[in-house]
Amino acid sequence: MKTLKKRNLFILFFTAILTIMLLATGCNQKQINPKTREDFDAFTKEVFVDQVQSDSITLNYTLSKPEKYGIKNFTPTLGEYTLEENEENLVKYENYLKRLKDFDYDSLTKDQKLTYDILKESLSLNLNLGKYPLYSEILSPTIGFQAQLPVLYAEYNFYDKEDIDDYIKLLNCTDDYFKQIVAIEKEKSKQGLFMNDTAVKDIIDQCNTFIKDKKNNLLITVFNDKVSSFKGLTKDEIRNYKKANKDAVLTSVIPAYENLISELSKLKGTGKNAGGLCNFKNGKEYYKLLVQSETGSKKSISELTDLLEDTMNHNIAKMQAIVLVKPDALDAMEKVKYKLTDPKEIINYLKTAINKNYPALNDVNCTIKYVDKSLQDFLSPAFYLTPAIDNYADNSIYINKSEQFDQSTIFTTIAHEGYPGHLYQCVYFNEQNPAPIRSVLNFGGYTEGWATYVELDSYSLAGLDKSVASLLEKNMAATLCLYARVDIGVNYEGWTKKETGNFLLKVLNTDDDKTVNEFYKSVVEEPGNYLQYTIGYLEFNELRDKAKKQLGDRFVLKDFHEFLLKTGPAPFDVIDNRLDSWIDAQK
């Protein structure tokens, strides 16, 4: 009874204090204008509708029913890839930013303030990156536009008959768009900013592999299957669609790749830089912006370098400590066998296995598909295709069955792409009904960082020996840091291939030419790519450590994950600011 009385007295005392505070500040409190909130929603919707119509692929993958957003009679297009378009976009972003800053921030809701902060940073960064239009590279062997386009075409959504018509029209835009790419590459060559010969060869090899079997190209075979099973079409319509699609592939898509091969072959040898971005004039300045864009981190390059080296050394030391106590664990790690190897079984298992530390998610569909043979050599081991925001119950994960990838160790890859990785994070966020503008703002550091963060956590869910699971996790973390460190070394510090080899010899105790070449080539051809995985993962670790330190026994990992997932993709400084409020609420 004494405790109850004290508790009641505290409530009364707190209420009195709160009343006094309200009376003291009420006269000076700023009036909230509801119209501001309505105008802000209208503004962000306007930006969303404009951005989502930049090209047909963005529109198709973002909305299943664009007409609900007033988008009708959209002309199929791959967009524009010209210097003039870049200038127009910069003017547009400046206008958006000016209009955004005109809103009274204090009058916005909590969610609107979050959108405001995210949009402001995104627009500002795009404006800065837009000053270097010839430094970015749309072509690369694995994540380049020409490598990704076949999958994006193959998975183009047919929600109704009109989508099929639009798709065929879109295929016929391919040749013109590739010509715009070639024009930019020629300009890069003139300005001394063209890629090196190794990158040219790898891109040409990828293109040749894709178009090798013209009559049985995957865009023909996949389309035939899709249109045959599409409900409501007559036999004549199916036959006509198949012919129209085949004609478009043979007269626009494949010629576009053939022309790209021819033009790149002509440009081969004009690249003046066989190394990292920093070897170009203003390359360091561009790389710093690229890193910020890829990672969502505001840390300086030197801070990132220290973080990577410290984390790498920490994990290596932890691995050594485990092996000292349990020497057999190292051999077991190298010969590890996962209990589950079937992707569907892994997904079903992880759906429930993650319940302890991750918030519940409504059940959604997930179709496992396999990468076509013509793309296997150049695509990732697996990838998840983000669904439309108004149709996020249907999801797809692609598995690459190339011999270069060990399918017996696919457990953690499925965790990365599925549960609790990309699929889980994407669906959970969409369930919060966020502002549509959030869906067209790209934050690879958050999305890939989250998927990497949970992938490392999944080793503990795989049913492995604890020591082996810990070794695998720490080995993966150290390897990620190693790649990211080489990326910075080559692209910012100017490491040569020899200097890269010396660094790997120091860390890995190997100077194998194949290993050195793999590291060096990957970060030269696709700079910053590894950083979004690694730095994103490390930023999440820092957020978790901060919350654990301040909350102590009150820290609940599941609740922390819920906070991250509800906040959604954003720059990490924006998330960190919200974390302070979340921590206070937990206290």
Side-chain angles (χ1 to χ4, degrees):
M1 290 299 293
K2 286 183 178 180
T3 304
L4 184 59
K5 282 184 178 180
K6 286 181 179 178
R7 188 177 176 186
N8 287 339
L9 286 171
F10 173 76
I11 293 173
L12 290 170
F13 178 72
F14 177 77
T15 304
I17 292 294
L18 182 61
T19 304
I20 293 169
M21 287 176 63
L22 288 173
L23 289 171
T25 60
C27 295
N28 297 321
Q29 194 170 23
K30 194 169 185 177
Q31 293 297 313
I32 301 301
N33 184 2
K35 186 70 166 59
T36 300
R37 297 175 175 180
E38 295 173 10
D39 291 344
F40 182 80
D41 285 340
F43 168 69
T44 57
K45 181 182 178 182
E46 177 193 335
V47 177
F48 166 72
V49 170
D50 176 60
Q51 293 299 302
V52 82
Q53 293 184 88
S54 61
D55 62 85
S56 296
I57 290 177
T58 299
L59 180 60
N60 183 262
Y61 276 82
T62 307
L63 294 173
S64 65
K65 293 180 170 57
E67 62 274 9
K68 289 189 175 182
Y69 289 83
I71 302 172
K72 299 176 182 178
N73 302 318
F74 180 77
T75 303
T77 177
L78 282 171
E80 296 291 324
Y81 189 69
T82 63
L83 293 176
E84 292 76 18
E85 179 70 11
N86 179 71
E87 288 298 321
E88 290 178 11
N89 283 332
L90 290 179
V91 173
K92 185 186 295 183
Y93 296 153
E94 285 179 351
N95 177 259
Y96 284 156
L97 192 57
K98 182 179 181 301
R99 291 173 62 189
L100 180 69
K101 291 178 178 179
D102 285 340
F103 285 101
D104 178 18
Y105 187 81
D106 292 335
S107 290
L108 302 177
T109 66
K110 179 181 176 182
D111 286 342
Q112 287 177 326
K113 287 178 180 177
L114 176 59
T115 301
Y116 180 104
D117 291 341
I118 292 171
L119 187 55
K120 181 181 176 183
E121 281 208 21
S122 181
L123 289 170
S124 298
L125 184 55
N126 282 337
L127 282 169
N128 287 325
L129 280 168
K131 299 173 184 176
Y132 303 91
L134 294 177
Y135 284 76
S136 63
E137 182 55 74
I138 195 173
L139 305 174
S140 66
T142 303
I143 61 173
F145 180 79
Q146 90 297 332
Q148 303 286 322
L149 187 61
V151 177
L152 295 173
Y153 272 161
E155 282 297 301
Y156 193 91
N157 299 295
F158 294 161
Y159 297 111
D160 53 37
K161 185 179 175 182
E162 186 180 19
D163 289 326
I164 305 176
D165 294 321
D166 288 345
Y167 171 73
I168 292 173
K169 292 176 184 176
L170 182 63
L171 291 182
N172 285 306
C173 297
T174 310
D175 198 22
D176 287 339
Y177 191 78
F178 272 46
K179 286 177 181 176
Q180 291 183 346
I181 292 176
V182 167
I184 291 292
E185 295 300 332
K186 287 181 178 179
E187 185 61 30
K188 287 165 70 78
S189 176
K190 289 180 182 177
Q191 301 295 330
L193 298 171
F194 188 63
M195 67 186 79
N196 65 59
D197 287 357
T198 302
V200 174
K201 179 184 180 303
D202 289 342
I203 294 167
I204 289 175
D205 288 347
Q206 184 272 321
C207 291
N208 276 322
T209 303
F210 168 59
I211 65 173
K212 185 177 181 180
D213 189 357
K214 296 180 181 179
K215 292 183 179 180
N216 295 305
N217 185 274
L218 88 104
L219 296 184
I220 296 175
T221 57
V222 170
F223 179 88
N224 287 347
D225 290 340
K226 286 172 68 176
V227 79
S228 294
S229 60
F230 192 86
K231 295 180 181 179
L233 295 178
T234 65
K235 290 183 179 180
D236 284 343
E237 285 176 323
I238 292 173
R239 183 173 60 253
N240 291 335
Y241 274 134
K242 286 182 178 180
K243 182 181 184 305
N245 174 72
K246 185 175 182 178
D247 288 344
V249 172
L250 295 178
T251 62
S252 182
V253 178
I254 290 179
Y257 278 83
E258 290 174 335
N259 182 59
L260 182 62
I261 292 168
S262 174
E263 295 297 337
L264 288 180
S265 298
K266 294 175 186 176
L267 291 172
K268 190 176 181 180
T270 66
K272 299 179 180 179
N273 176 21
L277 284 172
C278 63
N279 295 315
F280 292 124
K281 182 182 178 182
N282 300 319
K284 277 193 173 184
E285 288 74 12
Y286 170 73
Y287 182 71
K288 285 190 286 188
L289 291 171
L290 177 67
V291 169
Q292 186 181 339
S293 175
E294 291 289 304
T295 66
S297 175
K298 284 288 187 67
K299 288 182 173 65
S300 67
I301 297 295
S302 61
E303 288 174 326
L304 293 177
T305 300
D306 291 342
L307 177 61
L308 289 169
E309 292 184 352
D310 289 346
T311 305
M312 180 171 59
N313 293 330
H314 173 77
N315 279 284
I316 291 173
K318 286 286 186 181
M319 290 176 68
Q320 292 171 339
I322 293 171
V323 173
L324 282 174
V325 175
K326 196 171 183 179
D328 294 340
L330 186 60
D331 185 56
M333 181 190 79
E334 294 173 350
K335 299 176 181 178
V336 65
K337 289 186 178 181
Y338 291 87
K339 295 179 180 179
L340 296 175
T341 57
D342 179 78
K344 291 183 180 179
E345 291 181 2
I346 295 171
I347 285 177
N348 289 331
Y349 166 75
L350 285 171
K351 281 183 180 180
T352 55
I354 66 174
N355 286 342
K356 179 182 177 182
N357 290 327
Y358 298 88
L361 179 71
N362 291 326
D363 198 24
V364 294
N365 300 323
C366 179
T367 304
I368 299 295
K369 301 182 179 182
Y370 293 91
V371 174
D372 189 84
K373 286 186 177 180
S374 64
L375 301 174
Q376 285 182 353
D377 292 343
F378 298 93
L379 291 182
S380 306
F383 54 90
Y384 166 73
L385 286 177
T386 306
I389 60 175
D390 54 353
N391 190 44
Y392 58 81
D394 291 323
N395 297 266
S396 298
I397 293 177
Y398 267 89
I399 306 296
N400 189 344
K401 298 185 77 172
S402 169
E403 293 180 357
Q404 62 182 312
F405 304 123
D406 184 1
Q407 300 300 313
S408 68
T409 61
I410 202 170
F411 183 92
T412 55
T413 301
I414 295 297
H416 181 109
E417 306 298 341
Y419 292 82
H422 287 310
L423 185 154
Y424 171 87
Q425 177 269 314
C426 179
V427 172
Y428 193 96
F429 182 59
N430 279 323
E431 284 185 347
Q432 312 308 310
N433 194 30
I437 186 64
R438 299 282 303 273
S439 66
V440 292
L441 300 176
N442 182 36
F443 295 100
Y446 178 100
T447 55
E448 293 300 348
W450 170 266
T452 303
Y453 170 84
V454 299
E455 179 182 354
L456 268 65
D457 183 41
S458 71
Y459 286 107
S460 64
L461 302 173
L464 303 172
D465 174 83
K466 287 185 177 180
S467 296
V468 173
S470 185
L471 274 177
L472 287 166
E473 175 197 343
K474 295 178 188 337
N475 180 66
M476 178 67 170
T479 302
L480 285 167
C481 290
L482 185 61
Y483 267 100
R485 180 64 186 94
V486 170
D487 195 305
I488 292 175
V490 171
N491 287 295
Y492 189 76
E493 298 172 28
W495 288 1
T496 61
K497 190 179 293 187
K498 182 179 180 181
E499 288 171 318
T500 301
N502 292 338
F503 177 76
L504 294 178
L505 178 62
K506 178 182 176 182
V507 178
L508 298 178
N509 197 29
T510 179
D511 57 355
D512 176 63
D513 285 342
K514 185 178 180 181
T515 302
V516 175
N517 286 334
E518 177 192 338
F519 269 82
Y520 193 77
K521 187 173 77 164
S522 64
V523 300
V524 168
E525 292 183 346
E526 296 170 343
N529 184 43
Y530 282 105
L531 292 178
Q532 59 183 326
Y533 297 83
T534 311
I535 300 303
Y537 152 70
L538 294 177
E539 287 281 2
F540 279 121
N541 274 354
E542 287 193 349
L543 292 171
R544 183 191 61 201
D545 292 344
K546 174 182 176 178
K548 286 177 71 174
K549 182 179 179 180
Q550 294 192 29
L551 289 173
D553 293 340
R554 294 189 180 187
F555 177 80
V556 178
L557 185 58
K558 188 173 188 176
D559 294 343
F560 171 71
H561 288 158
E562 183 180 28
F563 157 75
L564 293 175
L565 291 161
K566 284 186 174 180
T567 303
F572 284 105
D573 64 309
V574 173
I575 300 173
D576 192 22
N577 289 336
R578 267 69 188 176
L579 181 63
D580 291 332
S581 299
W582 180 82
I583 290 172
D584 289 339
Q586 305 309 302
K587 289 179 179 178

